Amino acid sequence: MIDGHGDDVFRYGGNVKVNFSTNIYQGVDHTGLMNHLMSCTELLSNYPEPEPVSVEKILSETYGMPVDNIIVTNGATEAIYLIARKMSGASSAVVVPTFREYQDACAMCGHSVRFVPEYEVYNGALSACNVDVVWLCNPNNPTGMVFNREELLKIIDSKPETLFVIDQAYADYSVVKVLEASDVLSRGNVIMLQSLTKQFAVPGLRIGYAIAPTEIVSGLRAMRMPWSVNSFAIKASHYLLKHREDYHIDKDQLYKEAMWISHAFHCLGIECHGSDCNFILCRLPKGNASQLKEWLMEKYGLLIRDASNFETLDHLYFRVAAQDHKSNELLVKCIEEWMS
């Protein structure tokens, strides 16, 4: 695992006033969930289910698919490492820049890894890639780009012997259509990763899952550690899935705010990658993103994501996720001050 993921609030001792470093919207009201968990404190004295079967059953009913097509994990990250382990020694292509855990999981499990630039996906780079596994984030982190569903399915169908791992953890923030569960079930070479963490804004609980063909799910379950999902995460999943209508993410408004930030940054000379969701990748005209991050924290309590440790990016890159308009205005004003 690299040092320097986003949402590193733990480094700053409660001094973060607005967290732009996480792609998860911060304005969610968790009062109902917190009250529910407070009524379940007896969970501390007992082991959780060895396998989170109860959550898998709820998800299977939600999607209207067999439970054998779903595996619940300790965040989508556990699923990533399980897949890499299942395919130990394979050749992998990672579409970059992207979430670093794909390449780290591959390295840990002896994969040979090649990188495919995001902008070359539509130019035949993936179709020409003779590998065992393709790792692709959709919407992509950190760029916010969503790959065209029809074009992506064409690539997947042209390579039936290649396993495509499509991470759609941020699908609930996308204003563009992403892959659907039915796209997975009608094919034998796709694993779709999803995240209750992102859907319900509960990253501290670590709840993810994968949808895949039965034989793949069976293989992943055989390697999953017992008790990998804790009791409170399981209980929270039950509550959240039952009350999903209470957790509406206004993705259109967040996207509108992200585009406002992008325009404001452009006026300051900061380049912004085109995005289809609530977060944007930004490039300073000069300076250092790490220094900007520390200055914003020390002076104003604003936390951004230093993006220099993503593959293919350098010290000029940072990432922000849109929050409420007042906070977004403050961010732009403070960065303008730093640049001047």
Side-chain angles (χ1 to χ4, degrees):
M1 177 179 178
I2 63 165
D3 179 36
H5 278 293
D7 201 15
D8 51 347
V9 176
F10 62 90
R11 297 179 185 272
Y12 299 99
N15 294 319
V16 177
K17 295 179 180 178
V18 186
N19 185 0
F20 293 93
S21 76
T22 176
N23 295 334
I24 301 172
Y25 179 56
Q26 300 294 289
V28 177
D29 181 5
H30 287 306
T31 303
L33 174 61
M34 294 298 291
N35 289 338
H36 179 68
L37 293 180
M38 287 293 291
S39 70
C40 304
T41 54
E42 75 282 356
L43 295 175
L44 286 170
S45 303
N46 300 286
Y47 279 95
E49 303 170 49
E51 299 178 315
V53 174
S54 64
V55 183
E56 291 169 350
K57 288 181 178 177
I58 297 173
L59 287 169
S60 73
E61 294 168 0
T62 300
Y63 282 104
M65 67 173 62
V67 71
D68 291 341
N69 290 114
I70 298 176
I71 176 172
V72 170
T73 52
N74 188 328
T77 301
E78 184 190 13
I80 291 167
Y81 279 81
L82 287 175
I83 294 165
R85 181 182 170 194
K86 183 179 185 298
M87 301 295 292
S88 290
S91 57
S92 278
V94 180
V95 178
V96 292
T98 197
F99 187 45
R100 180 61 181 263
E101 296 305 322
Y102 310 140
Q103 76 184 76
D104 286 1
C106 287
M108 182 181 291
C109 297
H111 292 224
S112 59
V113 179
R114 69 178 70 178
F115 299 113
V116 176
E118 178 188 77
Y119 60 84
E120 291 187 4
V121 168
Y122 296 136
N123 296 332
L126 280 184
S127 298
C129 233
N130 294 317
V131 293
D132 300 311
V133 190
V134 169
W135 304 79
L136 184 147
C137 193
N138 191 46
N140 190 22
N141 174 22
T143 68
M145 175 180 171
V146 173
F147 295 89
N148 180 275
R149 177 174 174 268
E150 287 71 27
E151 292 299 319
L152 187 53
L153 289 175
K154 284 181 183 178
I155 295 171
I156 290 170
D157 291 340
S158 72
K159 302 181 74 63
E161 301 304 316
T162 299
L163 178 64
F164 285 80
V165 183
I166 311 296
D167 185 349
Q168 296 198 160
Y170 295 105
D172 290 284
Y173 294 85
S174 172
V175 295
V176 178
K177 190 172 184 179
V178 296
L179 295 192
E180 300 173 353
S182 58
D183 295 326
V184 177
L185 298 186
S186 61
R187 292 166 174 82
N189 64 328
V190 183
I191 301 176
M192 179 190 294
L193 303 183
Q194 295 279 10
S195 174
L196 298 184
T197 288
K198 276 74 173 180
Q199 182 181 358
F200 297 108
V202 287
L205 287 174
R206 313 305 306 131
I207 318 164
Y209 60 99
I211 297 173
T214 302
E215 60 274 16
I216 294 178
V217 170
S218 177
L220 296 178
R221 285 178 175 170
M223 296 183 298
R224 180 176 53 187
M225 291 177 56
W227 306 297
S228 70
V229 182
N230 70 73
S231 297
F232 286 100
I234 291 172
K235 184 63 72 171
S237 298
H238 290 195
Y239 177 90
L240 293 169
L241 291 168
K242 182 179 179 181
H243 296 85
R244 64 174 65 86
E245 298 302 323
D246 297 335
Y247 285 82
H248 172 68
I249 295 174
D250 193 345
K251 59 186 178 183
D252 292 322
Q253 180 61 29
L254 289 174
Y255 175 72
K256 180 180 178 181
E257 287 295 328
M259 293 303 99
W260 182 89
I261 293 173
S262 181
H263 175 73
F265 280 174
H266 176 76
C267 293
L268 298 178
I270 299 172
E271 296 178 18
C272 295
H273 192 289
S275 176
D276 298 306
C277 57
N278 64 314
F279 55 88
I280 48 177
L281 177 66
C282 313
R283 186 178 187 274
L284 293 167
K286 60 181 179 179
N288 186 293
S290 177
Q291 293 173 358
L292 171 61
K293 173 184 176 179
E294 295 307 316
W295 184 87
L296 286 171
M297 260 307 306
E298 290 175 10
K299 191 163 185 179
Y300 292 105
L302 306 183
L303 183 61
I304 64 171
R305 168 68 150 95
D306 172 9
S308 61
N309 58 0
F310 284 95
E311 193 73 33
T312 75
L313 303 186
D314 61 22
H315 66 281
L316 295 173
Y317 285 90
F318 67 98
R319 189 197 69 203
V320 297
Q323 302 299 323
D324 63 272
H325 189 69
K326 183 178 179 181
S327 297
N328 298 335
E329 285 184 319
L330 177 61
L331 175 69
V332 172
K333 180 180 178 181
C334 293
I335 291 181
E336 181 179 16
E337 178 186 343
W338 181 82
M339 293 181 69
S340 65

